[in-house]
Amino acid sequence: MDRSNTKQEILEAALELFSVQGYEATSISQLASAVGIRKASLYSHFESKQAILDALVKDVLDRYAAHSIFARADRDAEDACTPESTERLILGQIRYILHDPHIRMARKMLVVEQFRDPELAQLQTRQNYTDVLEYFTGLVERLIRSDVLAGEDPGIMAAQLCLPISAWINLCDREPEREAEVMELVGRHIAQFFRLYRK
């Protein structure tokens, strides 16, 4: 078996197991068994379970940085100056968040592990609150500068726009069968936001 493939398979198995039963409850034996290798072989790829978690977090952060609109530095380059383009952008991001298997499982893992590991708690806050609110604040500021929206406090406007969406994403994590309902709610929510603040 190719060493790099085995390493990736270990990370995939760890993400799946950690997202379901948590880091503490997952043993090295379970990880090795999930990959189809012996414990000794697993230790030739990673020195410890913590090293697996560290590599997993780095992998998740790299994926997040590459694909999440909330992690991008070029926010001003995005075309989201109408209700329709804003809705397309946000709905596309929600679909990515809900359907990318790595991001979906990583989000679930962070929900579980945030209460055990202070570093993962900070990551959970950053990915599910700080980055999201910062992104939406920048978006609202751009819409105000473009004379699309009127408003005095872009941070509060951004919170009004994004925090219900975060709650609906969490709902979909628990009840995936409600995705169509959530997407329809998000569309109505964005339309109402623009009606309330439109210049």
Side-chain angles (χ1 to χ4, degrees):
M1 187 180 278
D2 183 283
R3 186 173 171 81
S4 63
N5 286 348
T6 303
K7 197 167 189 170
Q8 191 57 41
E9 285 179 31
I10 293 167
L11 290 176
E12 300 275 339
L15 180 57
E16 189 166 339
L17 289 167
F18 294 169
S19 72
V20 172
Q21 58 193 39
Y23 172 83
E24 291 291 342
T26 301
S27 69
I28 290 290
S29 296
Q30 287 175 306
L31 285 169
S33 177
V35 179
I37 59 176
R38 295 184 333 232
K39 273 173 62 173
S41 181
L42 188 141
Y43 281 119
S44 73
H45 297 281
F46 293 98
E47 65 187 35
S48 65
K49 190 166 75 165
Q50 184 62 49
I52 295 170
L53 180 62
D54 293 343
L56 193 55
V57 168
K58 182 189 179 314
D59 186 54
V60 167
L61 286 174
D62 290 347
R63 289 173 189 271
Y64 176 75
H67 299 291
S68 175
I69 61 173
F70 305 140
R72 291 189 193 150
D74 62 341
R75 293 173 177 147
D76 285 337
E78 293 165 12
D79 177 28
C81 285
T82 67
E84 297 77 21
S85 62
T86 302
E87 181 178 348
R88 276 193 306 275
L89 188 72
I90 293 170
L91 290 178
Q93 181 65 17
I94 292 170
R95 286 186 189 96
Y96 160 69
I97 287 169
L98 293 177
H99 295 285
D100 181 278
H102 292 95
I103 297 303
R104 186 180 70 241
M105 285 188 284
R107 199 171 56 257
K108 290 178 182 180
M109 178 186 75
L110 287 176
V111 167
V112 173
E113 294 302 319
Q114 67 183 317
F115 301 105
R116 181 196 65 81
D117 183 321
E119 186 179 333
L120 295 182
Q122 288 179 350
L123 180 58
Q124 166 75 347
T125 298
R126 192 180 109 211
Q127 288 194 334
N128 292 288
Y129 177 74
T130 310
D131 284 358
V132 175
L133 191 56
E134 184 179 306
Y135 172 82
F136 276 94
T137 300
L139 174 65
V140 168
E141 287 171 344
R142 190 168 69 252
L143 291 167
I144 291 170
R145 281 194 312 270
S146 302
D147 281 334
V148 174
L149 299 180
E152 297 175 6
D153 192 332
I156 292 298
M157 292 169 66
Q160 291 169 337
L161 180 57
C162 75
L163 295 180
I165 293 170
S166 293
W168 287 322
I169 290 169
N170 290 335
L171 175 64
C172 281
D173 281 341
R174 290 186 305 277
E175 301 178 39
E177 69 279 2
R178 297 183 71 176
E179 182 180 338
E181 171 194 350
V182 162
M183 297 304 249
E184 194 263 336
L185 281 169
V186 170
R188 285 170 38 209
H189 173 64
I190 294 167
Q192 178 169 297
F193 178 83
F194 274 88
R195 281 195 304 274
L196 289 171
Y197 288 109
R198 193 101 201 206
K199 257 197 166 172

